[in-house]
Amino acid sequence: MCAMSSTELNNRVVTSGKGYQIKPSPHHERLYVIELEKQVVASFFEDVGEISSQQLEYIPYMRFVITDKLASLLDEDFQKSVRGIIHDRNTGGFTVGVNEQTTDPEDYVKFSTAFSHLVGIPNFDAMSGNYYARFSVKHTDNSDSYLRQAYRLFTLHTDGTYVDEATDWLLMMKFDEQNAVGGRSRLLHLDDWDELNRFYHHTMASQRLVYKAPPSKNVVKEVFRTTFYEQNNEPCICFIDQFVHPENIEQANYLKDLSSSMENASATTGLELPAGELIMLNNHFWLHGREAFEENTGLHRELLRQRGRFA
């Protein structure tokens, strides 16, 4: 388990290319921020203006068409750089926004689709019946998971635990937010977790556990997964407390202690994501969650989620 030191992370270089700059995020030492020039963003939305989100939903190849529109406005190294960040164990994540060029949800769908398809192919999202899901967090909710429950802590987890296909990456984009105090994204990179070795080498770490989704996810199949696994000789994790079904007291105590340890890890940090920005993470070694909101009857947040496999 070889992680970069704080000094090495802080000394990462800034990369500039035609129409963009990639530099270390000021909000998290492992993340990058991609800054697109305003003219690039404006030109992208002009070039894809005749393409609707319905076309993207109905015609899969159109998703790559708009990805090519974005790539053609930048240099040939841009896609390599984006993929390089997501695959890099030491970072594995970035944020990028529309640079105040639009507030149209249609444009947000196009923008997020272009970035997801630079990296890979989104999985079918059974909850929405589409390749992406849009959902709101409001003052009241009667859902069967923490996803839409505003005033509960959404505990750290990885995505795709209850589906039988690879979930290599995760993308989340904020569309709109009103009367929201709190509710920051919570992030933990596996290599920053001070008790990783304790849980990774535990006898329970390699036991296959049952994952089952609640009715709202529209997935009825049970999936068996180990909590930890290796990729490129590095530990990776698959976990969400709501959907894992232990079969005995020992498994339950292991999972409870694991979740509690991550929640209380000093490296678990909050990140603000403004409307019009997205974050993309490697789902194998990043865990994410959400802080609770402060109660407000006018609370509204709308998000888009995509998750899928590498190209």
Side-chain angles (χ1 to χ4, degrees):
M1 292 176 238
C2 181
M4 293 175 75
S5 67
S6 295
T7 300
E8 290 173 312
L9 285 167
N10 291 332
N11 288 336
R12 288 175 294 157
V13 299
V14 174
T15 301
S16 296
K18 175 190 172 186
Y20 67 93
Q21 188 176 69
I22 302 173
K23 58 187 181 182
S25 169
H27 306 299
H28 196 293
E29 67 176 5
R30 286 194 181 272
L31 296 177
Y32 280 96
V33 56
I34 299 175
E35 295 182 350
L36 301 177
E37 293 178 3
K38 288 187 174 181
Q39 187 54 50
V40 167
V41 180
S43 295
F44 169 71
F45 288 129
E46 182 178 355
D47 291 346
V48 300
E50 298 301 315
I51 301 172
S52 68
S53 62
Q54 186 182 72
Q55 285 178 286
L56 297 179
E57 294 166 16
Y58 290 0
I59 310 172
Y61 68 71
M62 292 302 294
R63 305 166 197 170
F64 285 102
V65 169
I66 67 167
T67 304
D68 185 54
K69 297 286 189 183
L70 176 64
S72 67
L73 295 168
L74 305 164
D75 60 36
E76 62 182 12
D77 291 328
F78 183 73
Q79 183 175 22
K80 296 177 185 177
S81 296
V82 171
R83 289 184 175 183
I85 291 171
I86 290 296
H87 283 276
D88 183 0
R89 174 77 184 203
N90 291 308
T91 173
F94 65 84
T95 61
V96 62
V98 298
N99 208 344
E100 301 179 336
Q101 295 306 292
T102 184
T103 58
D104 187 343
E106 280 277 302
D107 290 336
Y108 290 168
V109 171
K110 298 172 191 178
F111 188 77
S112 62
T113 298
F115 267 91
S116 66
H117 285 73
L118 285 172
V119 172
I121 300 173
N123 295 338
F124 175 75
D125 196 308
M127 187 180 79
S128 65
N130 203 344
Y131 74 93
Y132 65 89
R134 284 176 62 177
F135 55 91
S136 297
V137 180
K138 300 179 291 185
H139 174 63
T140 57
D141 177 75
N142 59 357
S143 66
D144 54 12
S145 77
Y146 292 155
L147 181 65
R148 295 184 176 90
Q149 296 184 19
Y151 306 126
R152 292 181 181 271
L153 176 73
F154 195 178
T155 45
L156 292 166
H157 61 282
T158 57
D159 267 32
T161 56
Y162 55 84
V163 298
D164 58 358
E165 55 192 333
T167 307
D168 298 319
W169 52 264
L170 166 73
L171 180 153
M172 295 177 288
M173 185 170 190
K174 185 178 291 183
F175 277 32
D176 184 44
E177 188 168 73
Q178 304 293 330
N179 303 305
V181 178
R184 293 186 303 172
S185 297
R186 301 173 67 245
L187 302 173
L188 176 63
H189 189 289
L190 205 55
D191 292 342
D192 295 333
W193 179 23
D194 49 6
E195 291 195 294
L196 171 60
N197 280 328
R198 172 191 166 197
F199 290 96
Y200 177 58
H201 294 292
H202 195 283
T203 56
M204 296 285 177
S206 58
Q207 289 191 11
R208 286 172 20 114
L209 302 174
V210 179
Y211 279 87
K212 293 185 282 189
S216 67
K217 306 300 182 184
N218 297 322
V219 176
V220 296
K221 185 177 180 179
E222 293 184 357
V223 175
F224 294 85
R225 296 189 182 279
T226 61
T227 306
F228 288 97
Y229 57 97
E230 282 194 0
Q231 198 174 75
N232 300 321
N233 297 317
E234 298 281 359
C236 299
I237 190 168
C238 173
F239 175 74
I240 185 168
D241 57 1
Q242 300 170 69
F243 308 148
V244 60
H245 290 257
E247 296 181 332
N248 54 54
I249 292 172
E250 290 76 18
Q251 290 179 353
N253 283 333
Y254 171 72
L255 294 168
K256 180 179 180 296
D257 291 345
L258 176 145
S259 182
S260 178
S261 175
M262 292 189 298
E263 293 301 324
N264 292 290
S266 59
T268 298
T269 56
L271 178 73
E272 293 280 1
L273 190 69
E277 289 196 10
L278 65 81
I279 183 169
M280 198 166 188
L281 298 170
N282 188 306
N283 192 55
H284 295 289
F285 49 79
W286 275 102
L287 296 117
H288 64 282
R290 187 188 64 228
E291 295 176 347
F293 290 91
E294 291 186 14
E295 190 166 342
N296 189 311
T297 57
L299 171 66
H300 174 76
R301 172 185 284 180
E302 184 177 4
L303 296 169
L304 174 145
R305 178 189 66 205
Q306 294 184 50
R307 53 197 180 192
R309 66 185 189 274
F310 289 133

